[in-house]
Amino acid sequence: EIMPSLVGSEMCIRDRARIQVEEALREITAFAADIDVDPARLQALEERLGAYHRLAKRHRLEPEALAEFHQHLRAELDELSHPAQNLEALRTEQERLATAYTKAAAALGQARREAAASFAALVSARLADLGLGAARLEVALQTRSDTRPHPTGAEVAELLVATNPGQPPRPLAKVASGGELSRISLAIQVVAAERTRVPAMIFDEVDVGIGGATAAVVGQLLRRLGSGGQVIAITHLPQVASHAHQHLVVTKTTAGSDTTTALQALVAGERVDEIARMLGGARITQKTVAHARDLLAQAAAE
């Protein structure tokens, strides 16, 4: 049994709610009737809103930050429009920055001179290991003729090399042959890699004109570089190829008028056969296979 008082109370609540909803509906209807829908005005607002967002994107800002950024730009414009008011402050700042640059450039130049000598000695020692025993590298530091501040300091560094005894050092690009240039580049990269991190290096036939023990040294240096970054070396010498962490073979086939180049990664057994082929040519013998295994074992143990 439901108490009559409870039923009446619920009905009163529903009636009041219905009356409030009906009054709200009438007010909304009256308000909507007074709205003057102007399609042209709506389009203009949408275009302005789009321009607002494009402007924020151009300046890499959130749309809400545009107003503050606008005030900042106006302040800068006012300063530029009245340079006489800030000229003295600008001169003071210029003098401060010039002094700071001179001090930093002098410190950098001193550090360069100290590093140049040790760097040249280390590279020259590597050149001897790579079969260029008579070659020596020098780092020449020339003061810039333009005395204005420069992002890289007050000096210009140039690599000089002498490949034969009795010759004065000359610019690297004008003295070294292709094979020498590759080996000098390898020596520089090995020395520089001890203090810097180069993500990838490519050496195209760095072993040109060398063989035997020198080729093995080139392989060792390339393998050492490959332990700290990506090294791609193109070689025809088994002493170099045996030091690679991964061995790829490039083949070229011709069928009619079409030529196809393929790249194949070798697994362990295939790699032994390829090193043996590089050692003995088309005819592979038990001796060349044994020599290939020995080269790979020595490289893995270094």
Side-chain angles (χ1 to χ4, degrees), residues 41-189:
R41 173 64 174 167
L42 178 61
Q43 182 178 356
L45 290 175
E46 290 179 346
E47 291 177 354
R48 185 169 183 179
L49 184 61
Y52 196 76
H53 283 274
R54 287 192 299 271
L55 189 61
K57 184 177 181 181
R58 179 186 304 172
H59 292 286
R60 299 180 181 180
L61 298 170
E62 293 296 327
E64 296 80 4
L66 273 179
E68 182 179 353
F69 185 64
H70 176 250
Q71 295 300 323
H72 172 70
L73 292 180
R74 290 199 63 173
E76 287 190 355
L77 180 60
D78 290 340
E79 290 182 3
L80 295 174
S81 300
H82 304 85
Q85 299 177 4
N86 303 294
L87 185 57
E88 191 61 34
L90 290 174
R91 285 175 176 168
T92 302
E93 181 67 6
Q94 181 186 27
E95 292 175 359
R96 185 188 69 79
L97 293 175
T99 301
Y101 169 80
T102 301
K103 182 178 179 180
L108 177 60
Q110 180 61 29
R112 280 174 169 165
R113 286 187 289 274
E114 294 174 357
S118 60
F119 177 76
L122 291 172
V123 173
S124 297
R126 291 295 182 188
L127 292 178
D129 296 336
L130 293 171
L132 296 174
R136 72 181 190 277
L137 183 81
E138 292 186 9
V139 181
L141 297 174
Q142 301 292 336
T143 303
R144 295 181 184 276
S145 58
D146 188 350
T147 58
R148 290 178 300 179
H150 192 277
T152 59
E155 304 90 13
V156 177
E158 184 177 21
L159 297 181
L160 306 178
V161 65
T163 56
N164 297 307
Q167 292 182 344
R170 297 176 57 196
L172 178 60
K174 296 181 179 180
V175 177
S177 64
E180 291 173 338
L181 190 61
S182 296
R183 278 179 279 174
I184 294 171
S185 174
L186 175 60
I188 291 173
Q189 293 287 359

Side-chain angles (χ1 to χ4, degrees), residues 216 238-239 242-243 275 279 290-300 302:
Q239 294 91 339
S242 62
H243 284 82
I275 296 293
L279 285 166
H291 191 185
R293 293 184 186 279
D294 186 48
L295 285 178
L296 290 169
Q298 290 180 16
E302 292 174 352

Side-chain angles (χ1 to χ4, degrees), residues 162-239:
T163 56
N164 297 307
Q167 292 182 344
R170 297 176 57 196
L172 178 60
K174 296 181 179 180
V175 177
S177 64
E180 291 173 338
L181 190 61
S182 296
R183 278 179 279 174
I184 294 171
S185 174
L186 175 60
I188 291 173
Q189 293 287 359
V190 170
V191 173
E194 297 175 356
R195 295 191 178 184
T196 60
R197 180 69 64 183
V198 180
M201 290 170 281
I202 299 177
F203 295 95
D204 186 4
E205 298 189 3
V206 68
D207 47 29
V208 173
I210 63 173
T214 303
V217 172
V218 171
Q220 294 170 7
L221 293 179
L222 290 172
R223 186 179 181 90
R224 185 181 305 171
L225 283 179
S227 300
Q230 178 66 59
V231 174
I232 300 174
I234 302 170
T235 181
H236 295 284
L237 292 183
Q239 294 91 339

Side-chain angles (χ1 to χ4, degrees), residues 225-288:
L225 283 179
S227 300
Q230 178 66 59
V231 174
I232 300 174
I234 302 170
T235 181
H236 295 284
L237 292 183
Q239 294 91 339
V240 175
S242 62
H243 284 82
H245 294 92
Q246 184 176 15
H247 193 157
L248 306 176
V249 173
V250 181
T251 57
K252 184 172 67 174
T253 57
T254 302
S257 59
D258 296 330
T259 300
T260 304
T261 301
L263 190 66
Q264 178 187 0
L266 302 182
V267 297
E270 295 172 333
R271 191 173 182 193
V272 171
D273 294 340
E274 178 61 20
I275 296 293
R277 185 196 64 76
M278 297 174 73
L279 285 166
R283 185 170 177 269
I284 300 177
T285 65
Q286 291 183 351
K287 289 184 178 180
T288 55

